[in-house]
Coordinates of all heavy atoms in Angstrom, one line a residue:
T151 N 111.7 117.3 90.7 CA 110.5 117.4 91.6 C 110.3 118.9 92.0 O 109.1 119.2 92.3 CB 110.8 116.7 92.9 OG1 112.0 117.2 93.6 CG2 110.9 115.2 92.7
D152 N 111.3 119.8 91.9 CA 111.0 121.2 92.1 C 110.0 121.7 91.1 O 109.0 122.5 91.4 CB 112.3 122.0 92.0 CG 113.1 122.0 93.3 OD1 112.6 121.5 94.3 OD2 114.3 122.4 93.2
D153 N 110.2 121.3 89.8 CA 109.3 121.7 88.8 C 107.9 121.0 88.9 O 106.8 121.7 88.6 CB 109.9 121.4 87.4 CG 111.2 122.2 87.2 OD1 111.2 123.4 87.4 OD2 112.2 121.6 86.8
I154 N 107.9 119.8 89.2 CA 106.6 119.1 89.4 C 105.9 119.7 90.6 O 104.6 120.0 90.5 CB 106.9 117.6 89.8 CG1 107.5 116.9 88.6 CG2 105.6 116.9 90.1 CD1 108.0 115.5 88.8
A155 N 106.5 120.0 91.7 CA 105.9 120.7 92.8 C 105.3 122.0 92.5 O 104.2 122.4 92.9 CB 106.9 120.8 94.0
R156 N 106.1 122.8 91.7 CA 105.6 124.1 91.3 C 104.4 124.1 90.5 O 103.4 124.9 90.7 CB 106.8 124.8 90.5 CG 106.4 126.2 89.9 CD 107.6 126.8 89.3 NE 108.3 126.0 88.3 CZ 108.0 125.8 87.1 NH1 106.9 126.3 86.6 NH2 108.8 125.0 86.3
L157 N 104.3 123.1 89.6 CA 103.1 123.0 88.7 C 101.9 122.3 89.3 O 100.8 122.6 88.9 CB 103.5 122.3 87.4 CG 104.5 123.0 86.5 CD1 105.1 122.1 85.4 CD2 103.8 124.2 85.9
L158 N 102.2 121.5 90.3 CA 101.1 120.8 91.0 C 100.6 121.5 92.3 O 99.6 121.3 92.8 CB 101.5 119.4 91.4 CG 101.6 118.4 90.2 CD1 102.0 117.0 90.7 CD2 100.3 118.3 89.4
G159 N 101.5 122.4 92.8 CA 101.2 123.1 94.0 C 101.3 122.3 95.3 O 100.6 122.6 96.3
T160 N 102.1 121.2 95.3 CA 102.3 120.4 96.4 C 103.7 119.8 96.4 O 104.2 119.5 95.3 CB 101.3 119.2 96.5 OG1 101.6 118.4 97.6 CG2 101.3 118.4 95.2
P161 N 104.4 119.7 97.6 CA 105.7 119.1 97.6 C 105.8 117.6 97.9 O 106.8 117.0 97.9 CB 106.4 119.9 98.8 CG 105.3 120.1 99.7 CD 104.0 120.3 98.9
R162 N 104.6 117.0 98.0 CA 104.6 115.6 98.4 C 104.7 114.7 97.1 O 103.8 114.3 96.5 CB 103.2 115.2 99.1 CG 103.1 115.9 100.5 CD 101.8 115.6 101.1 NE 101.6 114.2 101.3 CZ 100.4 113.6 100.9 NH1 99.4 114.2 100.4 NH2 100.3 112.3 101.1
I163 N 106.0 114.6 96.8 CA 106.3 113.9 95.5 C 107.4 112.9 95.7 O 108.4 113.2 96.3 CB 106.8 115.0 94.5 CG1 105.7 116.0 94.2 CG2 107.2 114.4 93.1 CD1 106.2 117.3 93.6
V164 N 107.3 111.8 95.0 CA 108.3 110.8 94.9 C 108.6 110.7 93.4 O 107.7 110.5 92.6 CB 107.9 109.4 95.4 CG1 109.0 108.3 95.1 CG2 107.6 109.4 96.9
R165 N 109.8 110.8 93.0 CA 110.2 110.7 91.6 C 111.0 109.4 91.4 O 111.7 108.9 92.2 CB 111.1 111.9 91.2 CG 111.6 111.8 89.8 CD 112.6 113.0 89.5 NE 113.4 112.7 88.3 CZ 114.5 113.3 88.0 NH1 115.0 114.3 88.8 NH2 115.1 113.0 86.9
S166 N 110.8 108.8 90.2 CA 111.4 107.5 89.9 C 112.0 107.5 88.6 O 111.7 108.3 87.7 CB 110.4 106.3 90.0 OG 109.5 106.4 88.9
M167 N 113.0 106.6 88.4 CA 113.5 106.3 87.1 C 113.5 104.8 86.9 O 114.3 104.0 87.3 CB 115.0 106.8 87.0 CG 115.6 106.5 85.6 SD 114.8 107.5 84.3 CE 114.2 106.2 83.2
P168 N 112.4 104.3 86.2 CA 112.2 102.9 86.0 C 112.9 102.5 84.7 O 113.5 103.4 84.0 CB 110.7 102.7 85.9 CG 110.2 104.0 85.3 CD 111.2 105.0 85.8
N169 N 112.9 101.2 84.3 CA 113.3 100.8 83.0 C 112.4 99.8 82.4 O 111.5 99.3 83.1 CB 114.8 100.4 82.9 CG 115.0 99.1 83.7 OD1 114.1 98.4 84.2 ND2 116.3 98.8 83.9
T170 N 112.5 99.5 81.1 CA 111.5 98.7 80.4 C 111.4 97.3 80.8 O 110.3 96.7 80.7 CB 111.7 98.8 78.9 OG1 113.1 98.4 78.6 CG2 111.5 100.2 78.3
P171 N 112.4 96.6 81.4 CA 112.2 95.3 81.9 C 111.1 95.2 83.0 O 110.7 94.1 83.4 CB 113.6 94.8 82.4 CG 114.5 95.6 81.5 CD 113.9 96.9 81.3
A172 N 110.7 96.3 83.5 CA 109.5 96.3 84.4 C 108.3 95.6 83.8 O 107.5 95.1 84.5 CB 109.2 97.7 84.8
L173 N 108.2 95.7 82.5 CA 107.1 95.1 81.8 C 107.0 93.6 82.0 O 106.0 93.0 81.8 CB 107.2 95.4 80.3 CG 107.0 96.9 79.9 CD1 107.4 97.1 78.5 CD2 105.6 97.4 80.2
V174 N 108.2 93.0 82.3 CA 108.2 91.5 82.6 C 108.6 91.2 84.0 O 109.1 90.1 84.3 CB 109.1 90.8 81.5 CG1 108.5 90.9 80.1 CG2 110.5 91.3 81.6
G175 N 108.4 92.2 84.9 CA 108.8 92.0 86.3 C 110.2 91.9 86.6 O 110.6 91.4 87.7
Q176 N 111.1 92.4 85.7 CA 112.5 92.3 85.9 C 113.2 93.7 85.8 O 114.3 93.8 85.4 CB 113.1 91.4 84.8 CG 112.7 89.9 84.9 CD 113.3 89.3 86.2 OE1 114.4 89.5 86.5 NE2 112.4 88.4 86.8
G177 N 112.4 94.7 86.2 CA 112.9 96.1 86.1 C 113.8 96.5 87.2 O 114.0 95.7 88.2
M178 N 114.4 97.7 87.0 CA 115.2 98.3 88.1 C 114.8 99.7 88.1 O 114.8 100.4 87.1 CB 116.7 98.2 87.7 CG 117.6 98.8 88.8 SD 117.7 97.9 90.3 CE 117.5 99.1 91.5
T179 N 114.3 100.1 89.3 CA 113.7 101.5 89.5 C 114.5 102.2 90.5 O 114.7 101.8 91.7 CB 112.3 101.4 89.9 OG1 111.5 100.7 88.9 CG2 111.7 102.8 90.1
G180 N 115.0 103.4 90.2 CA 115.6 104.3 91.1 C 114.6 105.3 91.7 O 113.7 105.7 90.9
L181 N 114.6 105.6 93.0 CA 113.6 106.4 93.6 C 114.2 107.5 94.5 O 115.2 107.3 95.1 CB 112.7 105.5 94.5 CG 111.9 104.4 93.9 CD1 111.5 103.3 94.9 CD2 110.7 104.9 93.2
F182 N 113.5 108.6 94.4 CA 113.9 109.8 95.3 C 112.6 110.4 95.9 O 111.7 110.6 95.1 CB 114.6 110.8 94.5 CG 114.8 112.1 95.3 CD1 115.8 112.2 96.3 CD2 113.9 113.2 95.0 CE1 115.9 113.4 97.0 CE2 114.1 114.4 95.8 CZ 115.1 114.5 96.7

């Protein structure tokens, strides 16, 4: 998010790590 914020010019960012079972509604997503 530090790099995302630097390139976008805003700190209002949520970062996630999803996985492919999200395609069938059975995913697991980590959020920060």
Side-chain angles (χ1 to χ4, degrees):
T151 60
D152 281 349
D153 296 310
I154 297 172
R156 173 173 52 82
L157 292 168
L158 291 177
T160 176
R162 293 177 58 227
I163 300 163
V164 176
R165 178 184 162 197
S166 72
M167 182 64 243
N169 64 10
T170 54
L173 295 168
V174 293
Q176 296 292 319
M178 182 69 224
T179 300
L181 296 163
F182 168 79

